[in-house]
Amino acid sequence: MRAEAQTEAEREPLLVSFLYSTILNHPTLESALSFHLANRLSSPAMLSTQIMSLIREAFDADPEFRRNLRADILAVRDRDPACTCLPDVFLYFKGFHALQTYRVAHYLWKSGRRILAHYLQSQVSQNFQIDIHPNATLGSGIMLDHGTGIVIGETAHLGHNCSVLHHVTLGGSGKKGVDRHPKVGNGVLLGAGASVLGNIKIGDGCQVGAGTLVIEDLPPGVVAVGVPAKIIGKFVDITAQPSIGMNQLGSKEADENIIMYGMDGI
């Protein structure tokens, strides 16, 4: 990423100072992220230096956070065709910023510092229009594409290598103290505007179409669309991860890899 940032600095003189302050002047990726997120999340209630210290504390206490950071940034670079280089993800992609801030808030929540975790959740919602509860469980290699309007509830689980598009809701059914949110497996692709509600299971390698409402369990490796969701196909390769290919229904690539059942009644 440093090499790419250096190239961009040489290409665009107006951004030299910005690129040096956010990336090139820092010895590690963790240091750079702490600085950049702190400046994006600061407010009159909490200075950027205070937030920076919290982020560094989370990195120092949790080696898995450092691994997840790298998996997350590579997930966006590899899956989003609009991404031209790693500095793009690091500097500008608010889904990535929201996800890394969630990871700090999750560390604070598990450490018993819940009011501080809620503060970071609120700042993410206000600045990035993404709401992830600090107690939710998110795996590594996740891409929150575009990000706007994504809501992930308190007892939700999102597996490894998932891709979540804008306005997706992992919402609850029931009241306080109940395990009430979805459990999403690995390699799942959730299309724009999809709503998954209640304590239900979405199997590994599922693809949920845009605007779909899911209120019942989905087995692994299926394709579901509609309101409410209806299974219309399954992947030829049961180990496929549609979140990696990002092929939308109806595309040539999707048609080649999915056995369609038909869409009667959708």
Side-chain angles (χ1 to χ4, degrees):
M1 186 174 77
R2 289 178 61 87
E4 291 180 343
Q6 184 66 55
T7 299
E8 294 302 318
E10 294 169 0
R11 184 178 298 161
E12 183 49 76
L14 289 176
L15 289 178
V16 168
S17 178
F18 175 60
L19 289 167
Y20 268 86
S21 66
T22 52
I23 297 176
L24 295 171
N25 282 342
H26 296 274
T28 65
L29 181 60
E30 290 81 1
S31 173
L33 183 72
S34 299
F35 175 85
H36 189 46
L37 280 186
N39 281 290
R40 297 217 62 185
L41 296 168
S42 63
S43 73
M46 188 170 292
L47 300 176
S48 62
T49 51
Q50 294 172 303
I51 297 176
M52 193 184 313
S53 295
L54 283 177
I55 299 171
R56 288 177 173 172
E57 177 187 332
F59 276 127
D60 291 340
D62 186 2
E64 187 175 357
F65 185 8
R66 298 196 290 271
R67 291 191 292 269
N68 289 339
L69 164 61
R70 286 159 174 80
D72 294 339
I73 194 170
L74 290 174
V76 181
R77 194 274 309 273
D78 293 342
R79 298 177 210 167
D80 190 341
C83 175
T84 60
C85 60
L86 286 171
D88 272 358
V89 184
F90 182 86
L91 295 171
Y92 309 126
F93 282 44
K94 67 178 184 177
F96 171 76
H97 297 154
L99 180 58
Q100 303 318 309
T101 308
Y102 148 78
R103 297 197 187 282
V104 179
H106 184 69
Y107 157 75
L108 293 170
W109 185 272
K110 293 303 182 183
S111 301
R113 303 164 73 182
R114 296 189 172 185
I115 191 167
L116 192 51
H118 274 310
Y119 173 81
L120 289 182
Q121 178 190 6
S122 176
Q123 287 300 101
V124 168
S125 180
Q126 179 175 323
N127 288 287
F128 306 136
Q129 298 78 51
I130 299 171
D131 192 358
I132 308 174
H133 194 282
N135 189 56
T137 305
L138 277 64
S140 65
I142 290 174
M143 178 175 73
L144 305 182
D145 195 16
H146 300 291
T148 301
I150 290 175
V151 177
I152 300 177
E154 180 182 11
T155 59
H157 171 86
L158 185 64
H160 302 301
N161 299 322
C162 289
S163 293
V164 181
L165 277 72
H166 49 288
H167 291 290
V168 164
T169 297
L170 302 183
S173 177
K175 293 187 177 181
K176 182 178 179 181
V178 177
D179 190 356
R180 61 195 185 278
H181 293 92
K183 309 299 180 282
V184 179
N186 301 325
V188 173
L189 172 58
L190 300 176
S195 294
V196 187
L197 304 179
N199 186 14
I200 61 175
K201 294 182 179 179
I202 308 299
D204 294 347
C206 284
Q207 181 165 349
V208 178
T212 296
L213 172 63
V214 186
I215 53 176
E216 295 180 347
D217 292 355
L218 293 178
V222 302
V223 179
V225 300
V227 179
K230 180 178 179 180
I231 297 174
I232 62 164
K234 67 177 181 179
F235 285 91
V236 175
D237 180 1
I238 61 172
T239 65
Q241 294 191 332
S243 59
I244 305 298
M246 297 295 291
N247 296 316
Q248 298 301 316
L249 297 178
S251 67
K252 178 182 177 182
E253 293 79 7
D255 291 344
E256 290 174 347
N257 294 299
I258 299 173
I259 300 172
M260 301 301 290
Y261 299 153
M263 300 179 64
D264 295 341
I266 299 297

